[in-house]
Structures are given as C-alpha cells and as structure tokens.
Amino acid sequence: MIEEYQIRILPEQAASEEGIKRYLSKEKGIDVRTLNQVRVLKRSIDARQRTIYVNLKVRAYINEFAQDDQYIHTEYPDVSSRPRVVVVGEGPGGLFASLRLLELGYRPVVLERGKDVRERKKDLSNITKTQKVDAESNYCFGEGGAGAYSDGKLYTRSKKRGSVDKILNVFCQHGANTNILADAHPHIGTDKLPRVIENMRNTILQCGGEVHFQTKMTSFIIDGDKVIGVEAVNLQTGGEETYRGPVILATGHSARDVYRYLAASRIEIEAKGIAVGVRLEHPAHLIDQIQYHNRNGRGKYLPAAEYSFVTQVDGRGVYSFCMCPGGYVVNSSSEKGRLCVNGMSYHDRAGHNSNTALITTVTPDDFPSDSPLAGLEFQRKYEELAYKIGNGKIPVQLFGDFLKNQMSTKLGNVTPSIKGKWQFANLHECLPDYVCASL
C-alpha cells in the first residue's frame, strides 16, 4: 500500500528517514515494521514562530518498496540524421533548448563562444588571482552560462513561466541530487553543477547533436526576411565557419556585441528595464540567529538561513535577489576595464558570511537616450566607474559609511567573503544618485 501524508515535524525528526518513520508510526498508527520506505516529495521550513517546524509531503510505502526512479525520466532519441537547428549559446537557455530539440526529433548544433565547463575554471581562477578578465571566458561566458559558477539556483519568483518540475527532473536525470525535487528553494551548488552540465552536453552528443566551443557567432545568414543560418569564427584558429538551419539565439544578457549586431542589422529589438545595486554581506550566523529565533543559530539540523526583502521607495522597487547563504562574492565582469559582481555558494553553504544582491529597479526612462541599446551603454558606464574606483579590484564599503556617503577605512572584526582582491571605495561614485537614495 502506498499513502501520501502532509506532516509538520521538528527539524531533528525530519533529518532522517528513520525519524520520519517513527513520527508516522506514532501519529498515523502505522506499524513501523511494515513501513519499508518513506520518500520526501516536498520540503519547506516554517520559521515564523519561536519553534521551528519542517513541512513535509511524504509518500509512505507500507509492506512494499518503491519500484520507480525518484525522478521522471525523459527519453532522448537518436537525431543524427534529422534536420538540424543552430543554437547560439550554451548557458541554461541553450542547454535546455537543445534537450527539447532532441525530444522533438531535431539535431541541435550548439555554438558556444566560451570554453567547456572545466576549462572555464582556469580563467575564473585567473580573475580571482590577477583581476584580468578573458572577454570570451569568464563568469558569464562559457558552458553552463552565468549560473554554472555563480550559484546555480533553480527556482524563480515568476508565476507566469509554468511548472519548473520538468526542469528539475532533467537536472536529476543528469546527476543532480534528487533533493532538489522536494526543496522549496532547490540549489545544486557551484561545486556540483559542472558535472551535471557535462552530462547534459554528453546527452546532446550521444544523440547525434554537436557542440562547438570557442565558436563565436558573427552574423546571421538571411534570405529575404528569414534567418537560415549563422556565420561564426573559431576563436582558436581564427577561421570562419558557416552553420545552416533555423536559429535559436540563447546568448544571455552580457553578449553586448550580439545586440549591437542586431541593431546594426535593423533587426527589431527594444530596451528593457534592469535592476542595479550592491552585494550586501552579513555574518551567516547572524542571519541564522534572526531567522531561527535562536542565539545559537541554526544548530545541527537546519540549513543556513535565507531571507528575502522587497519594498517600494518613491515608486522604485527595492529588493533582495540571489541570496547566497554561507556564500561568496565573485568578480563577474565580462569586459576589460569594467567591473560587476555576483554571488555564489557551494552545496554545503558553509561559508562564514551570507550575501545577497540588494537592488533597485531602473527603467528605460532612466537611460540616456531612446536607443534600444541605451541600457547597454548605461551598464557599461557604471561598470567602468566601478572598475576605476576599485583600481580593478572589487570596491568595498561598510553599509554605515555608505549611508554617510564616506569611504570606509577599516573593517574592524568583519571579514569579507570575496573571491579575489578588493579595496575600500565610496560606492556613491559608481552608482546613480537615485539608486543610492533608494538603497
């Protein structure tokens, strides 16, 4: 017999299958000797009251064992002789577009300007050590895209994009821990995700698709008003290459050269709003104490605490984004002479600090012109200022000094969790006044 239950139990009970079995035996009157397996289907933490509870949806196997996998398996057929589709970019958009093409019986031909997910690590290490950015291989460009090495969170606040269950199951099929199917805020971690991405690439190749690294799209091949392929350059040899077929453009937001090409080619594009702000760090233990109402922090059975924040200031949204419990701040610049940062955390989220982006909305009305590229120039301007005030290093300021509009000179007992070099600066000098006022 298989039964499903919604239960609310203490963290120490939820920490193991045996603890959940004992709870079910006591509360549901099930003979524990007949309770062969318990599978957690959904998991969330309720920390609203002094006593912390874990909400679980569980499936109990009574006098039988589970016969199915813990995830839903997707079949990917051989497409080696099928029509091909060119996919430009191998970040999350390009990877999942390619896997979907396999399902539909098309042969994806993936062009990625950066390096494979393992080779990328050498260039990321170089950014940390020397602040020198490879414009084609960095935290934004390369296999896996920005999410591969700058956190790899797997959830969205949007309610418009449909169920993410299929995506999570595909991740599990390619080696991710099945906990992500149950967790309210699933997270793989930057130390685990590269292997999953490699497995996705191998699925594409084994089914007859192609993946070309260090291959940069330079232009579309256009017949009338129809795109029938792309021209590309091999960044290793300098040779020009042609790839024909329908095109999916999955270049990500940092491929500014692609958007300039689209505008120059009179392909219709439009400006969109963005969000601008800072990375805000706190001791992870402090956030644990606050969220779990306990001076001792999270204890043995709870994860590093998260939080979210949203408000309105003079008509602008101000909110936290990409909160990284026990995480690190990284230099995610993608152009030389410009600087921006992101956050990441490993699977165990065991760092001594937690960080979040604290950002405010910026609309096309804030941009310097009506050009569809005005937002790109807006970004480049402030990234250049950030690079200058930090002399190429990550600029850092205590929040109290930020409020006083003065540069910090010492940290006291605070230690930043930054991968790479940093220096004190006044962040008012690299952010618009209205962003500083909102923050």
Side-chain angles (χ1 to χ4, degrees), residues 203-219:
T203 291
I204 296 168
L205 296 175
Q206 289 162 8
C207 291
E210 302 174 22
V211 179
H212 301 272
F213 294 111
Q214 295 182 271
T215 302
K216 182 177 180 179
M217 186 201 86
T218 54
S219 63

Side-chain angles (χ1 to χ4, degrees), residues 389-390 394-398 407-411 422-426:
I389 69 168
I394 293 176
V396 169
Q397 186 176 24
L398 290 177
M407 180 160 42
S408 300
T409 57
K410 61 181 180 178
L411 290 178
W422 59 271
Q423 82 169 40
F424 289 123
N426 185 350

Side-chain angles (χ1 to χ4, degrees), residues 9 92 97 114 127 129 165 167 178 190 215 222 242 244 249 267 283 294 305 309 312 316 374 390 395 400 412 439:
I9 61 179
I127 294 174
K129 293 175 182 176
D165 290 346
I167 301 301
T178 53
T190 57
T215 302
I222 300 176
T242 299
R244 292 185 178 272
L249 202 57
I267 295 170
N294 191 325
F309 172 85
Q312 289 279 324
R316 292 185 188 273
L439 295 178

